[in-house]
Amino acid sequence: MARTLLVTGGAGFIGSCFVLQARERGERVINLDKLTYAGNPDNLASLAQDPDHILVQGDIGNAELVNWLLRQYRPDAVVNFAAESHVDRSILDPEAFVRTNVLGTSTLLRVVKNWWQNLDEPAKSSFRFLHVSTDEVYGALKPGDPAFCETTPYSPNSPYSASKAASDHLVRAFHETYGLPTLITNCSNNYGPRQFPEKLIPLTIINARNNRSIPVYGTGSNIRDWLHVEDHCAAIALVLEKGRVGESYNIGGHSARTNLEVVQSICEILQQEEPSPTMYADLILFVTDRPGHDFRYAIDCSKIERELGWKPAHTFATGLVDTVLWYLANDAWVENVCSGAYLDWVDRNYGHRG
Ligand code: NAD
Ligand code: TDX
């Protein structure tokens, strides 16, 4: 029988990509998603008639619901994407991040652990709980520092990364204390189709196309390592299949760029695809920096490459072109997510930056 996965947060940007890939592999997916502003069933429109994708609206912190789903569907693995994911929102409302990322993950772990303890062999030893985390838990690097590896001490700087770090520690503790067969992945900045436009790359594409200014925090010299979402999800599937229980795996794209380089590249691609009489790059506006803005992230992903044979399939150059083309071709998706609630956010985050 095909494997069953309980995926949480599977209507978001990365989770939906993982769900689509899982269905291509023939796995049955139970998708538990609260459908916050970031959760979008349109991301899964191609699965609307698929009986092996079951979308359940609900919270990972709802113990009764999670318990019922486990008993009803008996998943072979839980893959936890559910989170509040935007650093700027965590600066304006940290508690929402503690509620889902810390308390929600804690409840999910407890309920899954209680259910797992009563499984018979071989289901018990083959079960996996995979937690999707971020490179931001390691803190910020200075220009010449070596890239983050799995043994780099945690040193989170934003309420978002602190809440993700706390959830990683809980996952680790459930393995050490109860023997729950856990795995953690820590990845760098994702990009690709269906990313909510609060994040730098889709925000830049959408603002430029609408002739609105492109806000670059500070001087634009902060560095991120960009990973295509499909490469990230392929890596998660590999860790789920072959990763060593109790371990964590870093996943990166070998594509470190300054924010200004990223924004300028997008403007060049747009100029090529939809030439504008005024240059898109003229829309770049340097605005007040993000408080506590991490200067640089870089991922050493030699462990997953060496142990599991993973390599990213996309280069940033082609991946970025494909991403811009996806946004150009999907006006209806863009219009749908740029709703009233999103406009409120734009006002709250950018209104005071000048
Ligand atoms: P996203 O914000 O696009 O999606 C998050 C999803 O979780 C949404 O569908 C939302 O409705 C759902 N959700 C939120 N709270 C929930 C709750 N309490 N119960 C159930 N569902 C809930 O985020 P994303 O970019 O797809 O990120 C997915 C995961 O990957 C997160 O854990 C994030 O920390 C991690 N991550 C993201 C990136 C990135 O670059 N986007 C990088 C590293 C790690
Ligand atoms: O308007 C903007 N202007 C700007 O200069 C925004 C929204 C961002 N930025 C900068 C801040 C960052 O240095 O661009 C960089 C990328 O910003 P985000 O897209 O907000 O991502 P980041 O803060 O790096 O975090 C992302 O990667 C790690 C995800 O949102 C996290 O969920 C993930 O864990």
Side-chain angles (χ1 to χ4, degrees):
M1 203 176 87
R3 218 155 59 131
T4 297
L5 305 179
L6 173 58
V7 176
T8 71
F13 163 51
I14 305 174
S16 62
C17 177
F18 181 83
V19 168
L20 293 169
Q21 288 186 358
R23 287 301 303 126
E24 276 172 25
R25 288 190 297 270
E27 291 160 339
R28 182 167 74 138
V29 176
I30 316 306
N31 185 351
L32 172 62
D33 196 298
K34 191 176 173 183
L35 298 179
T36 67
Y37 77 93
N40 183 357
D42 278 1
N43 292 345
L44 300 159
S46 61
L47 303 181
Q49 307 303 323
D50 182 344
D52 287 325
H53 170 247
I54 298 159
L55 179 61
V56 179
Q57 182 171 11
D59 196 313
I60 55 167
N62 181 340
E64 245 173 68
L65 175 61
V66 173
N67 197 21
W68 183 82
L69 290 171
L70 293 168
R71 278 157 214 280
Q72 179 74 13
Y73 296 107
R74 306 185 63 78
D76 301 286
V78 172
V79 186
N80 183 30
F81 291 93
E84 289 293 336
S85 70
H86 190 35
V87 173
D88 292 318
R89 286 185 192 257
S90 82
I91 295 168
L92 292 176
D93 181 11
E95 280 178 29
F97 287 68
V98 175
R99 271 195 298 277
T100 283
N101 301 1
V102 186
L103 296 175
T105 303
S106 171
T107 302
L108 181 67
L109 278 164
R110 173 174 57 80
V111 175
V112 170
K113 183 265 293 174
N114 289 343
W115 173 78
W116 166 81
Q117 280 178 326
N118 290 314
L119 287 178
D120 293 328
E121 293 294 351
K124 189 172 183 188
S125 46
S126 63
F127 180 80
R128 296 289 181 270
F129 183 102
L130 189 150
H131 177 66
V132 179
S133 191
T134 172
D135 58 359
E136 303 203 8
V137 296
Y138 298 120
L141 295 170
K142 295 190 207 63
D145 287 348
F148 302 130
C149 58
E150 288 79 0
T151 52
T152 302
Y154 276 27
S155 182
N157 292 317
S158 72
Y160 163 71
S161 52
S163 69
K164 291 296 290 186
S167 64
D168 293 9
H169 291 319
L170 283 166
V171 173
R172 189 190 137 80
F174 269 67
H175 174 66
E176 295 296 324
T177 308
Y178 308 107
L180 186 69
T182 61
L183 296 155
I184 299 177
T185 54
N186 296 87
C187 74
S188 59
N189 284 61
N190 281 219
Y191 72 101
R194 304 180 200 89
Q195 187 169 29
F196 193 81
E198 64 192 355
K199 308 279 166 62
L200 180 68
I201 288 181
L203 179 91
T204 300
I205 299 168
I206 292 168
N207 278 18
R209 280 192 90 200
N210 288 293
N211 201 31
R212 288 197 294 262
S213 61
I214 302 169
V216 172
Y217 296 164
T219 59
S221 53
N222 300 63
I223 295 169
R224 298 291 182 265
D225 172 10
W226 294 95
L227 170 67
H228 196 282
V229 64
E230 290 167 5
D231 286 330
H232 179 202
C233 291
I236 293 171
L238 201 57
V239 172
L240 195 54
E241 196 193 338
K242 295 190 180 148
R244 282 187 290 134
V245 163
E247 294 286 311
S248 65
Y249 292 87
N250 281 357
I251 309 168
H254 296 300
S255 298
R257 301 282 187 283
T258 68
N259 293 337
L260 191 56
E261 283 170 333
V262 170
V263 167
Q264 283 168 336
S265 299
I266 294 169
C267 291
E268 281 163 25
I269 297 165
L270 282 172
Q271 205 65 44
Q272 194 90 34
E273 297 297 328
E274 283 191 346
S276 148
T278 56
M279 301 298 282
Y280 289 107
D282 291 344
L283 294 168
I284 293 172
L285 181 67
F286 293 96
V287 299
T288 310
D289 209 350
R290 172 186 281 174
H293 195 175
D294 285 339
F295 176 66
R296 170 180 165 239
Y297 306 136
I299 277 269
D300 174 347
C301 51
S302 53
K303 179 175 172 181
I304 189 173
E305 292 180 344
R306 193 178 57 247
E307 287 189 15
L308 308 184
W310 176 82
K311 279 224 174 324
H314 295 264
T315 65
F316 188 59
T318 56
L320 191 62
V321 172
D322 292 347
T323 302
V324 173
L325 293 178
W326 187 89
Y327 280 90
L328 298 187
N330 286 279
D331 281 336
W333 185 96
V334 170
E335 272 163 37
N336 191 25
V337 295
C338 292
S339 64
Y342 178 62
L343 295 177
D344 280 355
W345 163 251
V346 171
D347 197 40
R348 281 176 70 206
N349 190 44
Y350 297 99
H352 64 280
R353 286 184 193 267

